[in-house]
Amino acid sequence: MFDVTALGEVLIDFTECGHNPDTGMALFERNPGGAPANVAAAVSRLAGRAAFIGKVGEDMHGAYLKKTLDEIGVDTSGVSVDAGAFTTLAFVSLEPSGERVFSFARKPGADTRLTAEDIPTALLTGSRILHFGSLSLTNEPAHSATLYAVAMAKKAGAIISYDPNDRPLLWDSRERARKVMRSVLPQVDVIKISDEETELLTGAADPEEASRRLIEQGIGCVVVTLGAKGALVRTAAQAEQSEIVPGFASKVADTTGAGDSFWGGFLYQIAQSGKRPGELTLAEAAQFARFGNAVASLCVEKRGAIPAMPDMDTVRARLEGRA
């Protein structure tokens, strides 16, 4: 039984890393990434059992991504190879604050060509949690494949986790993004959204109100990440209350993968608890968020999301104030 199976994009983040001293040209470093893959990597680095479902191109980058996931213990039996499309690339420049600016090479990228036939049923029926994001909903056939996977996993009793992870450049319009990203909410048991995505997903910009609206739609546990302020949590078990869980101080080198590492930690804790999201008390959700904050605070201190994912001993040290 897998703790978490993540479905969606695995890609190369070419992250800006200075300039050539001779020419002044920007230099980019190749890093493995993709939000769902980052979540699976975080779970695996915490000694959880994680699997990944997605598609890469038959190229050097696809081989590198699969090798990277294999090396950190993520099951890649659900990773298929497409000879007709290139592995998706994201070019990421960093602001002085560590925030990111994206540009994508994905017309089409291999991740958008995932089909239902590519998905091993055993991964859907043998996982406590199926996690997905919105990027696999932007294009066919990956859109239909994602809906198929969610339906199969839900039928098997898995917890359905969703991270909208809004990337406006990958949608043909904001209206379609809003419609499609909201369309899957009835299937979702636990969700993470950022404070920048609340209005898009719920019509309410305020995190408190947004979390309340999502609970009212039947989602068992809602987490709104608030950047350096931490995260707001609300559960169906105590729907009238919420709590803001402060983050940990850290020296930010790169925020790429911060939300994904947080969510990997949070989902790992749910899997270990044996509870459904709607059964969690507010105190339990807050405890899980504190754990996720510790994971994220360590991730941002290094460059490259997947290589930066911390192990359990390091996370415990951060929680105890020893790191």
Side-chain angles (χ1 to χ4, degrees), residues 86-286:
F86 202 69
T87 299
T88 298
L89 309 177
F91 291 85
V92 189
S93 61
L94 299 176
E95 301 291 345
S97 64
E99 289 301 319
R100 304 151 295 160
V101 178
F102 289 89
S103 180
F104 292 92
R106 192 186 187 231
K107 296 181 179 179
D111 69 292
T112 68
R113 290 161 62 111
L114 183 73
T115 68
E117 289 73 23
D118 294 321
I119 299 174
T121 302
L123 291 183
L124 302 177
T125 58
S127 298
R128 291 183 176 89
I129 301 171
L130 175 68
H131 171 71
F132 73 105
S134 68
L135 268 64
S136 60
L137 301 175
T138 59
N139 300 85
E140 291 291 358
H143 178 276
S144 294
T146 302
L147 298 184
Y148 163 81
V150 169
M152 288 288 292
K154 198 167 185 70
K155 183 178 180 181
I159 293 167
I160 306 300
S161 162
Y162 178 43
D163 176 3
N165 196 31
D166 184 31
R167 294 288 179 264
L169 289 174
L170 299 180
W171 295 91
D172 51 23
S173 72
R174 294 308 283 160
E175 182 54 37
R176 180 170 178 270
R178 182 180 298 105
K179 179 180 178 180
V180 174
M181 291 166 74
R182 292 183 182 187
S183 68
V184 296
L185 293 176
Q187 308 304 316
V188 174
D189 299 302
V190 58
I191 187 172
K192 178 189 79 68
I193 60 175
S194 75
D195 53 359
E196 297 176 345
E197 295 162 343
T198 52
E199 187 167 12
L200 180 67
L201 267 291
T202 72
D206 175 59
E208 284 274 355
E209 178 60 25
S211 67
R212 185 177 294 107
R213 291 186 184 187
L214 290 167
I215 291 290
E216 289 171 352
Q217 292 185 55
I219 297 176
C221 179
V222 175
V223 181
V224 183
T225 55
L226 307 172
K229 296 179 181 177
L232 179 148
V233 295
R234 188 186 296 271
T235 69
Q238 294 175 267
E240 296 307 311
Q241 303 175 55
S242 67
E243 183 174 338
I244 293 178
V245 183
F248 290 81
S250 56
K251 296 180 180 179
V252 177
D254 182 358
T255 60
T256 304
D260 306 325
S261 59
F262 168 86
W263 201 232
F266 194 96
L267 293 181
Y268 170 79
Q269 292 286 76
I270 288 182
Q272 297 305 302
S273 76
K275 289 189 171 185
R276 305 287 300 184
E279 299 170 345
L280 296 176
T281 66
L282 186 60
E284 287 171 325

Side-chain angles (χ1 to χ4, degrees), residues 39-50:
V39 169
V43 172
S44 186
R45 286 284 286 154
L46 295 168
R49 292 201 66 208

